[in-house]
C-alpha cells in the first residue's frame, strides 16, 4: 500500500509541475518565473528548497550522535543565511534586475570574476543535489521493502524530477514547492503527534535528551573549539548567500518588499520545523533503543524511516513519507535548476554569442539541466559521505571564493576587479592548501582560513594601485529590454532613485 501511495504521489506531483510549465515562454520565465511570484509562493519556495533530505534524515542523524553542538551549520547557520539574505541582500540585488547571481559579478567586476565565481557556484551544487538524490534512493529502497535498490531509486527519482524541471523551470519549482510545503508541514506535525503519543508526550523526550547532554550548544572556553564553532556557523550561514537558488527566489518575487520578507519568513519557518525531525529521531531512542544502537554507527540516516515503518500505523507512514518525498523533491528540483541556469547564462551564452535568440537560449538551459542531472546522479552513486556532510561541504567553495566579492560589491564602493580577483585567489589557495597539505584536524578549519584570506585579499587588492582595468558597467540583454519598458513597470514607479546611475542613461 505504501509503495503504491508513493508512486501515485510521484505521478501527481510530476503532473502538477508539467501543468505549471504552460507559463514558460522565454528564459526569464524559465529562470525567475517572469518575476511574478506573490508573497505566499516566495515564502513557500524559500522554505521548501531549504527543507531537504538533510533536514529530515541528515540533521536528526547528526543530532543523535553529537547533540545540538553537531548541528550548528544546519539548521542554525542555514536559517540565518535566509534571514541575512532578506535583510541585507534582497533589496539591492532585486533592484539590479538580473537573471543570475553571475550577472552581478559580471556587472560589478567583469568577465573574469563572473567565470570564476560561476564555476565555484556550479561545483558547490554537486554536494547539495547529490544529497537529495542519495536520499531518494534510500526512500525508494525503504518503502519497497528492498525490492528497489538504492541505485535504481536514485535514477528513478532524479529522472522524474528532471521531467518537470526541464519543461517548467522556476514556475514548476515554485508551484510544486507551494504544494509540497503544505504537505511537509501537515505531515511533520501529524507524525510528531503520533510519536509523542507513543512516548508519553513531548516533555518526556525533551527531558531525556537534556539529561543525555544533547542540548549542549556552546563551545567550551578553548580557542580551537571556539574557532571550530564559528567555522561551523559560517559554512552555511555565509557560504549559502552567493547561491543561485537563493538569488532566484529573490528575483522571482513580484515586488522588492516580497523579495525581502519572503526570504526572512521562509528562513524563520525553516528553523522552527527543522526541530520536528530531530524530535522524531530522538524519540526512537525511547521507542526502539535496539534499532537505534544497531544503526547509530553504521547508517544513522535510516533510524527515522525505520522507526516509522516499524512502529507507526499505515496512515502515519503515508504522511511521513509524503512529507519526506516533498522535502526531497522541492529541494532537488530547485538545486537542479539553479546551477543549470547560471552555467548557461554566465559561461555558455558569452561563448555561443550574445546574438543567440531567446528561444535557443531556453533550449540551451534545458539541455544543461539534463546534463547536470546525469552528472549529480553519478556523483551521488559514488559518494561515500553522509547526507549531512555532503550538504555542509557543498558551501565551502562559495564561502572562500564568492562571498567576499559579493559583500564588497554591494557594500564597499572602493572594491575593484583586482580586489575581487585577489580575494578569489587567496581564498581558494589557502582553503585548498590546508585541505590537501594540512593536518587532518587543523587548528583553524580550511574554509575559515580561506574566508579570512579572501577578506584580506579583497582589501589589499582593492587599495593597491590597479593593474587590472575595471570594466565599464554593462547590462545583460534582458535588463536592457526591461529598461526600455521602465515607465510601465510598478517597480520603477515605486523606486526611481534606487537604480544605479548607468540605468538612467538608457
Amino acid at each position: 500500500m505504501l509503495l503504491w501511495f508513493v508512486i501515485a504521489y510521484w505521478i501527481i506531483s510530476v503532473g502538477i509541475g508539467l501543468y505549471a510549465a504552460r507559463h514558460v515562454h522565454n528564459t526569464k520565465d524559465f529562470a525567475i518565473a517572469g518575476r511574478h511570484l506573490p508573497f505566499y509562493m516566495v515564502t513557500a519556495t524559500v522554505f521548501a528548497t531549504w527543507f531537504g533530505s538533510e533536514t529530515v534524515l541528515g540533521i536528526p542523524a547528526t543530532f543523535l550522535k553529537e547533540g545540538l553542538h553537531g548541528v550548528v551549520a544546519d539548521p542554525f547557520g542555514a536559517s540565518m543565511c535566509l534571514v541575512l539574505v532578506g535583510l541585507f541582500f534582497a533589496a539591492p540585488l532585486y533592484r539590479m534586475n538580473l537573471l543570475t547571481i553571475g550577472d552581478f559579478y559580471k556587472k560589478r567586476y567583469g568577465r573574469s570574476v563572473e567565470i570564476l565565481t560561476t564555476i565555484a557556484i556550479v561545483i558547490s551544487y554537486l554536494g547539495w543535489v547529490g544529497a537529495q538524490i542519495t536520499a531518494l534512493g534510500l526512500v525508494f529502497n525503504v518503502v519497497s521493502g528492498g525490492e528497489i535498490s538504492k541505485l535504481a531509486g536514485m535514477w528513478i527519482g532524479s529522472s522524474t524530477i528532471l521531467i518537470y524541471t526541464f519543461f517548467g523551470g522556476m514556475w514548476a519549482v515554485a508551484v510544486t514547492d507551494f504544494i509540497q510545503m503544505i504537505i511537509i508541514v501537515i505531515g511533520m506535525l501529524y507524525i510528531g503527534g503520533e510519536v509523542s503519543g507513543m512516548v508519553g508526550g513531548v516533555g518526556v523526550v525533551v527531558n531525556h535528551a537534556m539529561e543525555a547532554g544533547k542540548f549542549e550548544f556552546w563551545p567550551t572556553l578553548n580557542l580551537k573549539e571556539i574557532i571550530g564553532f564559528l567555522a561551523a556557523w559560517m559554512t552555511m550561514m555565509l557560504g549559502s548567500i552567493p547561491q543561485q537558488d537563493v538569488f532566484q527566489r529573490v528575483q522571482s518575487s513580484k515586488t522588492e518588499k516580497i523579495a525581502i520578507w519572503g526570504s526572512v519568513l521562509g528562513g524563520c519557518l525553516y528553523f522552527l520545523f527543522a526541530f520536528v525531525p530531530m524530535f522524531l529521531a530522538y524519540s526512537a531512542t525511547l521507542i526502539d533503543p535496539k534499532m537505534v544502537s544497531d544503526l547509530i554507527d553504521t547508517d544513522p540516516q535510516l533510524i527515522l524511516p525505520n522507526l516509522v515503518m516499524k512502529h507507526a500505523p499505515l496512515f502515519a507512514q503515508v504522511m511521513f513519507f509524503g512529507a519526506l518525498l516533498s522535502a526531497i523533491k522541492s529541494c532537488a528540483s530547485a538545486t537542479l535548476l539553479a546551477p543549470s541556469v547560471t552555467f548557461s547564462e554566465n559561461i555558455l551564452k558569452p561563448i555561443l554569442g550574445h546574438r543567440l535568440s531567446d528561444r535557443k537560449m531556453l533550449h540551451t538551459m534545458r539541455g544543461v539541466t539534463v546534463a547536470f542531472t546525469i552528472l549529480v546522479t553519478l556523483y551521488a552513486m559514488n559518494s561515500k559521505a553522509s547526507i549531512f556532510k555532503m550538504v555542509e561541504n557543498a558551501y565551502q567553495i562559495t564561502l572562500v571564493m564568492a562571498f567576499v566579492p559579493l559583500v564588497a560589491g554591494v557594500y564597499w564602493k572602493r572594491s575593484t576587479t583586482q580586489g575581487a580577483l585577489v580575494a578569489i585567489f587567496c581564498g581558494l589557495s589557502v582553503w585548498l592548501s590546508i585541505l590537501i597539505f594540512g593536518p587532518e584536524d587543523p587548528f583553524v578549519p580550511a574554509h575559515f582560513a580561506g574566508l579570512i584570506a579572501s577578506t584580506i585579499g579583497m582589501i589589499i587588492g582593492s587599495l593597491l594601485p590597479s593593474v587590472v582595468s575595471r570594466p565599464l558597467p554593462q547590462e545583460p540583454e534582458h535588463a536592457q529590454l526591461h529598461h526600455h519598458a521602465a515607465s510601465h513597470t510598478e517597480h520603477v514607479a515605486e523606486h526611481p532613485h534606487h537604480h544605479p546611475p548607468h540605468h538612467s542613461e538608457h
Side-chain angles (χ1 to χ4, degrees), residues 32-193:
I32 53 173
R35 276 194 151 195
H36 290 309
L37 296 187
F39 178 70
Y40 69 90
M41 214 172 255
V42 173
T43 303
T45 191
V46 166
F47 168 83
T49 298
W50 239 236
F51 203 100
S53 62
E54 71 284 357
T55 318
V56 185
L57 302 175
I59 294 172
T62 308
F63 174 71
L64 281 179
K65 295 184 84 171
E66 302 173 36
L68 277 186
H69 189 73
V71 293
V72 170
D74 194 1
F76 290 92
S79 53
M80 271 305 296
C81 161
L82 294 170
V83 173
L84 291 175
V85 166
L87 296 179
F88 298 105
F89 295 94
L93 291 175
Y94 187 86
R95 290 171 204 148
M96 292 179 78
N97 189 44
L98 308 170
L99 198 65
T100 69
I101 187 80
D103 287 345
F104 169 82
Y105 293 105
K106 175 171 66 177
K107 204 169 189 177
R108 188 67 176 79
Y109 301 115
R111 177 71 178 145
S112 53
V113 176
E114 174 196 14
I115 292 171
L116 292 170
T117 50
T118 299
I119 290 169
I121 289 163
V122 171
I123 290 171
S124 73
Y125 279 97
L126 279 174
W128 197 8
V129 192
Q132 311 315 313
I133 291 169
T134 300
L136 283 174
L138 188 146
V139 170
F140 277 111
N141 181 253
V142 169
V143 298
S144 68
E147 290 292 314
I148 300 172
S149 70
K150 286 183 183 179
L151 291 183
M154 286 182 192
W155 282 111
I156 293 167
S158 61
S159 57
T160 46
I161 289 170
L162 171 65
I163 293 169
Y164 70 78
T165 309
F166 178 89
F167 289 105
M170 188 62 198
W171 266 115
V173 170
V175 172
T176 52
D177 277 2
F178 176 65
I179 294 162
Q180 284 157 356
M181 176 187 167
I182 295 167
I183 295 168
I184 290 167
V185 170
I186 294 171
M188 283 294 149
L189 290 177
Y190 180 83
I191 196 76

Side-chain angles (χ1 to χ4, degrees), residues 245-452:
D245 61 280
V246 181
F247 179 84
Q248 270 177 314
R249 275 129 198 80
V250 167
Q251 292 296 334
S252 299
S253 306
K254 198 180 275 187
T255 67
E256 186 180 306
K257 202 172 273 187
I258 289 172
I260 295 167
W261 296 111
S263 184
V264 171
L265 181 58
C268 294
L269 286 172
Y270 172 71
F271 181 74
L272 290 173
F273 276 92
F275 284 92
V276 179
M278 281 191 254
F279 164 77
L280 295 174
Y282 196 80
S283 301
T285 60
L286 303 177
I287 296 168
D288 195 341
K290 184 181 182 304
M291 182 265 289
V292 172
S293 63
D294 288 346
L295 289 172
I296 194 75
D297 293 318
T298 53
D299 198 349
Q301 292 159 174
L302 282 170
I303 290 172
L304 194 45
N306 276 3
L307 170 73
V308 174
M309 289 294 285
K310 287 183 179 178
H311 299 279
L314 179 64
F315 187 71
Q317 291 177 17
V318 166
M319 294 301 286
F320 172 77
F321 283 103
L324 175 55
L325 285 168
S326 293
I328 298 168
K329 281 165 70 69
S330 58
C331 190
S333 59
T335 49
L336 280 177
L337 180 67
S340 305
V341 166
T342 196
F343 185 80
S344 305
E345 176 71 16
N346 300 108
I347 303 291
L348 291 182
K349 189 176 179 179
I351 295 169
L352 297 171
H354 284 287
R355 295 294 157 212
L356 196 68
S357 71
D358 192 77
R359 190 163 187 77
K360 283 183 179 171
M361 194 61 211
L362 180 58
H363 293 327
T364 303
M365 285 180 177
R366 285 173 166 161
V368 172
T369 307
V370 174
F372 193 75
T373 304
I374 294 167
L375 183 66
V376 289
T377 307
L378 292 171
Y379 172 81
M381 286 168 63
N382 293 292
S383 177
K384 299 287 181 271
S386 70
I387 289 170
F388 186 82
K389 278 295 170 195
M390 284 168 84
V391 172
E392 189 181 13
N393 294 340
Y395 299 107
Q396 292 189 13
I397 189 167
T398 44
L399 179 67
V400 301
M401 285 181 70
F403 175 71
V404 172
L406 176 66
V407 177
V410 173
Y411 286 106
W412 191 35
K413 286 181 180 176
R414 294 187 67 182
S415 62
T416 64
T417 301
Q418 178 174 284
L421 289 170
V422 174
I424 291 167
F425 174 76
C426 290
L428 183 64
S429 53
V430 168
W431 176 61
L432 287 176
S433 298
I434 296 174
L435 276 184
I436 298 166
F437 304 111
E440 199 169 310
D441 185 22
F443 189 81
V444 178
H447 59 284
F448 190 44
L451 176 64
I452 294 167

